[in-house]
Amino acid sequence: MTTGPTLPILAVTGQDGDVDFAFVSGNPALDLTGTVLSRRDEPVDLLAVPADLGRWVAACEGLPDRVTATPSAFDAALNLREAVYRLALDRVLDRRFHIPSLEVVNAAAAGPLPTVRLGDAGVRMSGGLPAVLTHVARSGIAVLADPGARLKECGRTDCTRVYLDRSRGARRAWCGMEECGNRVKAAAYRARRRTSAAPSGRAER
């Protein structure tokens, strides 16, 4: 089980639109933590520059279409991301919350609130990045404070996403089928094929 990022994180910029974000964790704050891939061995950061964060916000359902990420707001977003990830792992591992991470998340949740308007198309949120981070922090608090929320780490070895399992009987094993479930099943299938194709080792009579 992952205990937190201890290795340097490789930054991969998505300014050219070549990086796709996955929203499979069931919560905006958890999805934000998923922008660092494979935290165990060679972490890869999909939020390399402020423009990447703007793309993530625009892609995240329910958040404003456009925000401008200043360097200070970008740093605040990354700090919030790592704090939420640490607290989510605390829940997964059934341990006490990390106090410095609590302080980061609680401070972010006390920021300016976004404007929410109801229309025929549904609810529309507007506001700058500080307001977006407030909303994300509060969504993280809601799930982390819920004793009935079933948080899990993805069952694929190379994936370290934490997700909210809402499946019947809490039987979901991966962060998402397309992201990881299909890969696990394909790998298991290939392993079975190799086993069945291997020579039995018995000498012919």
Side-chain angles (χ1 to χ4, degrees), residues 21 26 31 40-41 69 77 83 85 95 106 109 128 146 163 169 171 202:
F21 301 112
D31 281 326
R40 289 190 186 91
D41 301 318
Y85 180 71
R95 63 192 183 193
N106 287 333
D146 181 1
Y163 64 93
R171 301 171 71 175
R202 295 180 180 177

Side-chain angles (χ1 to χ4, degrees), residues 6-28:
T6 58
L7 299 175
I9 298 178
L10 173 65
V12 176
T13 180
Q15 295 182 86
D16 297 328
D18 58 346
V19 174
D20 292 326
F21 301 112
F23 298 92
V24 294
S25 294
N27 178 275

